[in-house]
Amino acid sequence: REQGTWGDNLTLQAMANLMMGPIWVITDSVHETSGVMKINPIDAVSPEEWDEPVYVVHYGDRHYEATEPAPEGIKPEGIKPEP
């Protein structure tokens, strides 16, 4: 995609596959009761080979935002890495 264009779930899946790591979408959607939608790379990539998750925010049913790393020593509450 070009700079300034919108992406969707298919775009996020493609990015997870290319980066060989999960993308966690923090969302306010009523369809995600946990508040986190996890997009994992395709099954051909073993979870042991995955990079750390990338976090993005989704709100308003149509808008994604980038996130910034939390300051040193602060961890997001309620979001735990999968084993």
Side-chain angles (χ1 to χ4, degrees), residues 14 18 26 39 41-42 49 58 62 68 73 77 83:
L18 286 171
I26 294 47
I39 301 172
I42 57 174
E49 298 177 28
H58 179 257
R62 297 183 185 260
E68 294 182 15
E77 292 184 31

Side-chain angles (χ1 to χ4, degrees), residues 14-82:
M15 286 305 302
N17 295 346
L18 286 171
M19 296 183 320
M20 294 194 323
I23 298 175
W24 290 12
V25 182
I26 294 47
T27 180
D28 64 356
S29 171
V30 297
H31 304 291
E32 293 293 332
T33 56
S34 70
V36 180
M37 177 176 54
K38 297 175 183 174
I39 301 172
N40 294 324
I42 57 174
D43 291 337
V45 179
S46 170
E48 291 81 30
E49 298 177 28
W50 291 357
D51 284 335
E52 291 295 313
V54 170
Y55 298 92
V56 296
V57 176
H58 179 257
Y59 59 92
D61 287 336
R62 297 183 185 260
H63 192 74
Y64 289 95
E65 283 288 335
T67 60
E68 294 182 15
E72 185 79 25
I74 297 178
K75 297 188 183 218
E77 292 184 31
I79 300 174
K80 297 180 174 56
E82 294 181 343

